[in-house]
């Protein structure tokens, strides 16, 4: 329902509001509201767009995860893997020298 004086939109539960309900913006009575079908269509359109955006994001994320070889994952994940490999090499060199580095 939409207020015909100021354009305030009540999205749901208008019939559940008390008879003495007044528009919060312009303080007119409940009888100054009329059905607004386009607002329902607008909110349904937003919901469908949100669902489409989620699906696109999931597809993009799945494509990034299913990459090949070194290209797999994000740049941060690749950098982390590279650092872990470098640390593993340093650890093997230290083990060869012994506990005190001799």
């Amino acid at each position: 329902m939409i207020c015909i004086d100021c354009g305030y939109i009540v999205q749901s539960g208008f019939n559940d509001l008390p008879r003495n309900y007044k528009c919060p913006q312009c303080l007119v009575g409940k009888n100054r509201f009329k059905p607004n079908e386009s607002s329902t269509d607008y909110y349904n359109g937003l919901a469908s767009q949100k669902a489409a955006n989620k699906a696109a994001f999931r597809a993009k994320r799945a494509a990034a995860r299913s990459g090949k070889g070194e290209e797999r994952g994000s740049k941060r994940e690749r950098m982390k893997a590279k650092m872990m490999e470098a640390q593993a090499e340093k650890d093997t060199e230290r083990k060869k020298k012994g506990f005190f580095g001799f």
Side-chain angles (χ1 to χ4, degrees):
M1 300 296 274
I2 186 168
C3 177
I4 59 175
D5 293 335
C6 69
Y8 180 78
I9 298 174
V10 177
Q11 293 179 12
S12 62
F14 184 78
N15 293 333
D16 297 334
L17 297 172
R19 279 186 78 188
N20 61 353
Y21 175 78
K22 296 192 182 298
C23 176
Q25 289 184 351
C26 63
L27 302 174
V28 297
K30 195 172 176 181
N31 61 339
R32 299 293 293 169
F33 283 82
K34 69 175 184 173
N36 184 13
E37 307 306 329
S38 64
S39 67
T40 304
D41 295 337
Y42 173 74
Y43 289 110
N44 290 338
L46 286 179
S48 64
Q49 182 62 44
K50 183 176 180 180
N53 288 346
K54 274 186 170 183
F57 174 74
R58 287 182 182 143
K60 183 177 178 183
R61 185 172 55 187
R65 287 184 178 171
S66 66
K68 298 174 184 159
E70 291 294 318
E71 298 300 319
R72 181 177 181 190
S74 67
K75 184 176 180 181
R76 179 180 175 149
E77 291 171 344
R78 291 191 303 264
M79 184 62 83
K80 182 179 176 182
K82 186 176 179 181
M83 290 175 61
M84 294 294 282
E85 289 172 9
Q87 186 63 42
E89 289 177 15
K90 286 181 183 178
D91 290 343
T92 54
E93 289 177 15
R94 286 186 203 155
K95 288 180 182 178
K96 290 178 184 176
K97 293 182 180 179
F99 186 74
F100 293 103
F102 298 102

